[in-house]
Amino acid sequence: MKVNFKKIFINPYTISLVLMVLIVIGLLIGTMSWLDTYTNHGNEIVVPDLTELKRDEASQILNESGLKCEVVDSIYVKGAKLGAVVEQIPEAGSTVKSGRTIYLIINSNTIRKVSIPDIRDVSLRQAEAVITSVGLIVDSVEYVPSEYKDLVQDIKSDGRLLAAGERIPEGSKVVLLVGRGAADEEIEVVSLRGLNPDQAINKAHTAYLNVGKEIYDNQQKPDEQARSKYFVYKQEPITSSKVRVGTPVNIYLTTDPNKLEIPEEIFVDSTAIEAGEEGLFQ
């Protein structure tokens, strides 16, 4: 049987079906094109690093990049810049579409305060551990007359005595007042030569002494990182001097190793030498 294609193609049903198929195809193409435009297909932006920037600075950079920002939380991060971005979502280096919102977590604008622990009549070693655990820094130790030796008597900051429970900014430096026992007791000054400032302070405390002035070669105290590179080459009072418990020892600091080639000045008790010499001739 011979098929009459001409009749098929001029059949109104066939024409309608073809038109419907063409319309559907056209709609699909149009929809895909619209979706590409709506979702900015192929137009991706690399998220910039916003950490340590203030909120306004971060917002301006994102706006210039075609992005938006929203602060979702504020926390306190020790050591981070106050009021600055500490975390972002998505993270820096991610690729996103134009107009995407970047969520920010901001560091608090105020330093968190911590409560002064009750450390009276606690040993120096234990008190230092407690102070450090609450976020404070033991800057130095001062020895004061007390019936009990090596027990903390008080704590102070900026020259002011602090009461247990009082709140001060986290990271504050405090001074511990420690009992030194008999007020007239004398001890020999230990050598702090060759030690960095923190090592010198620790050794002095162990020997019931304090570190007084820190005198640097360049006449200006360096920052904490540079400070650790200095070492003691001279001290006052000198090694083996007899002093009272709690006496401050001034230390001279340098980064020049040649200064350690100069012999250390050590106190020699001339009366003891004379007594020893007399004994030899008896």
Side-chain angles (χ1 to χ4, degrees):
M1 183 178 66
K2 185 177 181 180
V3 178
N4 191 336
F5 289 101
K6 184 176 181 180
K7 287 185 178 181
I8 292 176
F9 284 111
I10 62 173
N11 187 298
Y13 294 107
T14 302
I15 294 172
S16 298
L17 181 59
V18 171
L19 287 175
M20 288 179 62
V21 171
L22 292 175
I23 291 172
V24 170
I25 292 173
L27 287 173
L28 287 174
I29 293 173
T31 301
M32 293 299 294
S33 177
W34 176 81
L35 285 174
D36 282 349
T37 303
Y38 181 76
T39 59
N40 296 305
H41 181 69
N43 184 21
E44 293 184 329
I45 298 172
V46 177
V47 178
D49 186 359
L50 306 172
T51 53
E52 297 191 359
L53 296 180
K54 295 285 187 177
R55 176 180 178 175
D56 291 343
E57 295 172 331
S59 179
Q60 181 178 350
I61 289 175
L62 290 175
N63 287 336
E64 291 173 354
S65 301
L67 302 171
K68 302 175 183 177
C69 78
E70 180 180 338
V71 175
V72 293
D73 198 5
S74 177
I75 59 177
Y76 177 71
V77 178
K78 182 180 177 182
K81 187 189 299 184
L82 297 180
V85 177
V86 292
E87 189 176 342
Q88 62 184 78
I89 305 170
E91 62 183 15
S94 303
T95 54
V96 297
K97 306 298 183 184
S98 177
R100 171 73 182 272
T101 298
I102 308 301
Y103 299 99
L104 308 177
I105 298 176
I106 305 291
N107 195 26
S108 173
N109 283 307
T110 57
I111 298 177
R112 185 173 66 186
K113 291 189 174 184
V114 297
S115 180
I116 297 296
D118 186 0
I119 54 173
R120 285 182 63 87
D121 296 329
V122 171
S123 71
L124 173 57
R125 184 181 297 274
Q126 184 179 350
E128 287 179 322
V130 171
I131 289 297
T132 302
S133 70
V134 299
L136 299 175
I137 300 170
V138 178
D139 184 50
S140 61
V141 173
E142 291 182 7
Y143 287 89
V144 296
S146 172
E147 181 180 359
Y148 303 102
K149 197 171 184 178
D150 295 335
L151 296 184
V152 176
Q153 303 301 303
D154 272 305
I155 180 173
K156 67 180 182 179
S157 180
D158 295 328
R160 182 176 66 85
L161 290 177
L162 303 173
E166 184 175 343
R167 298 181 68 81
I168 63 174
E170 183 178 9
S172 296
K173 294 182 178 181
V174 299
V175 177
L176 299 182
L177 306 184
V178 180
R180 69 182 186 188
D184 294 330
E185 180 184 356
E186 285 193 338
I187 57 174
E188 279 193 4
V189 176
V190 296
S191 175
L192 305 177
R193 188 176 170 91
L195 303 179
N196 68 35
D198 288 337
Q199 291 171 335
I201 290 171
N202 289 334
K203 186 173 182 179
H205 290 169
T206 301
Y208 304 108
L209 297 168
N210 284 309
V211 166
K213 296 179 181 178
E214 295 181 10
I215 304 165
Y216 294 84
D217 275 355
N218 59 10
Q219 303 299 315
Q220 187 174 2
K221 187 174 181 178
D223 58 35
E224 286 300 317
Q225 185 174 1
R227 179 173 171 269
S228 64
K229 298 178 181 178
Y230 281 78
F231 52 85
V232 179
Y233 68 92
K234 180 181 174 182
Q235 64 185 65
E236 295 174 347
I238 63 175
T239 300
S240 296
S241 299
K242 291 283 188 177
V243 297
R244 290 187 176 185
V245 171
T247 296
V249 179
N250 298 328
I251 56 177
Y252 292 78
L253 297 139
T254 185
T255 56
D256 181 4
N258 293 325
K259 291 197 173 183
L260 287 180
E261 296 180 3
I262 303 172
E264 180 181 10
E265 189 176 4
I266 300 176
F267 176 78
V268 178
D269 189 345
S270 59
T271 59
I273 294 175
E274 290 172 0
E277 289 177 346
E278 289 176 1
L280 291 174
F281 293 100
Q282 289 178 354

